[in-house]
Amino acid sequence: MMNTASATVTEFNIIAVEPFADGATFGNTGSYERVRGTVKGELDPADARNKVIVNLDKAPRNAAGRIEYEADFFMLRPVDGTRGNGKLVYDVTNRGRKNIHWRLMDARPASPAHANDPRTLEDAGNGLLFRMGYTILWSGWDPDAPRVNNGMGMKPIIASDNGKPIVRVIRDELVSGTRSPARETFRLTHNAFTMDQSQARLTVRRREADARQEIPASGWAYVNDREIRLMPEGTKPVTGSIYEFHYPAKDPRVLGIGMAATRDLISFVKYESTDAKGAPNPARGIKAALGFGISQSGRFLRDFVYQGFNQDTRARKVFDGAYSHTAGVGGVFLNAAFGQPGRTSTQFEDHMMPENEFPFSAARMTDPVTGKTDSILRNDGFDPLWFESNTSTEYWQKGASMLTTDPLGTKDVTLPDAARVYLIAGTQHAGQAWMTSTPGNNANPRNPHSPTPAMRALLLALADWVDGKAAPASQTPRIADNTLVPVEKLHFPAIPGMAIARKVNVFGVLKDWTKPEMDMSKPYRPLITNVNADGNEIAGIRLPDITVPLGTYTGWNLYKAPYVEGELGDRDGSFSPFAATRAERESRGDPRPSLEERYGSHAAYVKLLTDAATALVPSRLLLQEDIERYVAWANSEAVRKQFAR
């Protein structure tokens, strides 16, 4: 029985235990089952490890003086726990969505609802983690995460001032059509305290740097206390323009509880046998836990570690290893009064929303801008072994260079022994298997190069590190060897018909996000990866797609009309294929050698690609089984057609 005096998880409510993939077997592990339900817990507001949670002192308490919470959970576990490998992978949900099966294992769900409800053999993708015996766990941590399509969240806990509503004038940034389909109304992130229009203000501007234009009260109206629309009725927002709404909001959720709930859940499945009511731990034989997060959930992991949540309330380590992908140097706007965790700051959108705040790196250093000395790792004995990987996009949009340089980009820094950082060269933020090169909102075709093969290898290398095997060395561009440069020194080839980015997302110290006010008198200085004559990056993990390329792959793109032309596309990269023949290349004035000039034949290309894949395996940056996938892709009809154009 667990020690109820120190209990944080109090009850598992298991809704269903069901066969996964119709009982299909995965290697020596055998079959898996789905376990889904809710988990309840309590937080002691007097515990020093909980005091970091903003507004916890203003949350409602039970008779014992504790704050109660409840969150969704979902687990895929081996039916026979003795055949598992004793390791748990916790996939941090991203806006309520599960990621790891389709982002890491190349599953191809039929719909968003299917992606968030893995149940079939197709949802297992290549089955890698199942074949190796991992238990996979998800849980809700954001009460505002969308619940549509089987989204996961937790019950909201509202802060109040001795029973009276907490009210503050805040700011919502509202953009139509860039990150979500265009709508006629705008949804607010918090409830308006009053629908008196005289207490609110709506502005619009076309570009982030443009002056704000006031929209009079006659030009907008409340639909309800969580939604506004433009007037007269039927007026549609201008696609891509930035609307800002300042309004008195009420009832902030105590969002930092989501981190504590995650801490308590992982700690429970590692260390306890039963909950406070005697129900058994739904996980079986877990000895080590790995945290895995992509984008928003990667930023969640950065804050989780930095804010001290990797120590549980009984002074035990939570995650043994943690892997944050595509987080750049940012955190998640969560543990704050009136937080907005769905935000993500880029050059064009949410630029002045909280995300990028020193410390940026696992290396301890002094910030020349603020004078603070710090690191995202605490060096308190509870840090996990730490992996970060980024695509090329995060060097343009998310300041990723500052993971391995000082904040002003003047020198490389040395990472601590417990941390590794990797650039997966020539990839874009949302790159994955099945990515196409359709342009979407952008001027250029999007980058189809998937970082997933490297991510698979890195996750397993992290697990090996937890077991005591040294991790692969960091693979990043560096100032010292001129592979990391300011954007103005990048000499990108003049590729016919390709719109070329000339700026990066530059940011300073955000003084007040509600006004907003950012100090740009001494901005931070993100750098980008240098490129070769083809425009492909020359540092980082260079997968076969970059070592033996079929075109130019970048982490940046630019918006096209009716979006804001010339601004950095949100998180997309670009792709420009090589000409098939010298004659084709010369006819369009392309400076890059053609496929014919590079490889001579399709067969020669396949041989070089195979060699490039094979060369990455000994350094544990690619799995042996992915060589076969690369060869199969190289021999596909789609690739053959590129040589036959």
Side-chain angles (χ1 to χ4, degrees), residues 25-32 77-85 128-134:
T25 58
F26 298 91
N28 294 326
T29 312
S31 55
Y32 271 70
R77 69 185 184 192
V79 172
D80 182 351
T82 65
R83 297 171 72 178
N85 69 0
L128 176 67
L129 298 182
F130 304 114
R131 287 184 273 121
M132 299 191 73
Y134 286 89

Side-chain angles (χ1 to χ4, degrees), residues 486-568:
V487 65
E488 60 270 17
K489 292 188 177 180
L490 185 72
H491 299 294
F492 196 81
I495 299 173
M498 188 175 190
I500 298 175
R502 304 294 184 189
K503 57 187 172 185
V504 298
N505 180 19
V506 177
F507 49 86
V509 174
L510 185 62
K511 291 187 171 182
D512 187 342
W513 67 271
T514 64
K515 290 184 179 179
E517 183 182 357
M518 180 179 284
D519 183 359
M520 293 300 291
S521 64
K522 193 174 184 181
Y524 295 110
R525 189 169 181 252
L527 306 176
I528 56 173
T529 311
N530 213 343
V531 299
N532 60 21
D534 292 328
N536 285 319
E537 293 177 323
I538 57 177
I541 300 174
R542 300 177 78 241
L543 290 171
D545 316 61
I546 302 302
T547 307
V548 188
L550 295 175
T552 298
Y553 304 82
T554 81
W556 49 262
N557 211 321
L558 300 174
Y559 279 129
K560 66 180 180 183
Y563 305 93
V564 186
E565 293 179 276
E567 300 290 89
L568 280 180

Side-chain angles (χ1 to χ4, degrees), residues 321-359:
Y323 179 6
S324 169
H325 178 64
T326 60
V329 296
V332 64
F333 186 15
L334 179 72
N335 189 19
F338 293 98
Q340 301 180 24
R343 299 289 179 185
T344 183
S345 176
T346 58
Q347 176 265 323
F348 172 71
E349 196 165 341
D350 286 346
H351 184 71
M352 292 192 185
M353 285 292 181
E355 179 172 324
N356 303 309
E357 181 179 351
F358 184 85

Side-chain angles (χ1 to χ4, degrees), residues 389-404:
S389 68
N390 285 281
T391 69
S392 312
T393 303
E394 285 72 57
Y395 282 74
W396 289 78
Q397 289 278 32
K398 298 287 186 178
S401 62
M402 292 185 289
L403 297 173
T404 57

Side-chain angles (χ1 to χ4, degrees), residues 157-439:
I157 297 173
I158 306 298
S160 67
D161 183 7
N162 295 315
K164 298 179 181 179
I166 295 174
V167 180
R168 181 184 180 186
V169 175
I170 68 168
R171 175 178 66 98
D172 268 352
E173 188 172 301
L174 311 165
V175 184
S176 179
T178 51
R179 296 176 178 170
S180 60
R183 297 179 57 195
E184 290 194 5
T185 62
F186 289 122
R187 182 165 176 78
L188 308 179
T189 55
H190 291 275
N191 297 83
F193 175 67
T194 174
M195 289 191 287
D196 177 357
Q197 284 186 259
S198 68
Q199 297 190 40
R201 173 174 169 249
L202 181 65
T203 65
V204 64
R205 66 193 191 279
R206 188 60 177 158
R207 299 178 184 273
E208 200 283 328
D210 288 350
R212 293 161 172 82
Q213 304 297 317
E214 195 89 17
I215 296 177
S218 60
W220 67 274
Y222 280 103
V223 177
N224 51 53
D225 70 349
R226 201 70 189 270
E227 201 168 9
I228 65 170
R229 69 163 64 247
L230 298 180
M231 297 297 286
E233 193 165 339
T235 302
K236 296 182 179 180
V238 177
T239 300
S241 289
I242 302 171
Y243 295 82
E244 274 184 322
F245 191 55
H246 292 76
Y247 64 107
K250 67 175 182 177
D251 297 339
R253 272 77 76 193
V254 189
L255 296 173
I257 288 176
M259 288 192 174
T262 301
R263 173 197 67 196
D264 297 348
L265 175 61
I266 304 306
S267 176
F268 180 91
V269 299
K270 277 184 65 179
Y271 298 114
E272 310 296 349
S273 57
T274 62
D275 67 20
K277 293 190 174 182
N281 184 339
R284 296 163 175 164
I286 300 302
K287 305 300 182 185
L290 306 178
F292 176 76
I294 296 176
S295 191
Q296 181 206 42
S297 46
R299 291 184 280 117
F300 176 100
L301 283 174
R302 284 173 55 87
D303 278 352
F304 183 91
V305 172
Y306 176 64
Q307 294 179 22
F309 289 101
N310 211 50
Q311 177 187 176
D312 76 3
T313 55
R314 294 176 66 184
R316 300 172 298 191
K317 184 179 290 188
V318 180
F319 290 117
D320 301 277
Y323 179 6
S324 169
H325 178 64
T326 60
V329 296
V332 64
F333 186 15
L334 179 72
N335 189 19
F338 293 98
Q340 301 180 24
R343 299 289 179 185
T344 183
S345 176
T346 58
Q347 176 265 323
F348 172 71
E349 196 165 341
D350 286 346
H351 184 71
M352 292 192 185
M353 285 292 181
E355 179 172 324
N356 303 309
E357 181 179 351
F358 184 85
F360 304 123
S361 173
R364 187 170 179 83
M365 67 184 83
T366 299
D367 179 14
V369 177
T370 63
K372 297 177 182 177
T373 300
D374 211 343
S375 160
I376 62 166
L377 297 184
R378 299 171 67 86
N379 197 30
D380 59 0
F382 296 98
D383 290 329
L385 296 174
W386 183 248
F387 267 22
E388 294 189 81
S389 68
N390 285 281
T391 69
S392 312
T393 303
E394 285 72 57
Y395 282 74
W396 289 78
Q397 289 278 32
K398 298 287 186 178
S401 62
M402 292 185 289
L403 297 173
T404 57
T405 76
D406 70 287
L408 297 184
T410 63
K411 62 182 179 180
D412 301 307
V413 298
T414 301
L415 294 172
D417 292 341
R420 300 287 188 275
V421 175
Y422 307 93
L423 161 66
I424 306 176
T427 53
Q428 71 169 38
H429 181 85
Q432 59 193 275
W434 323 115
M435 191 76 184
T436 68
S437 56
T438 54

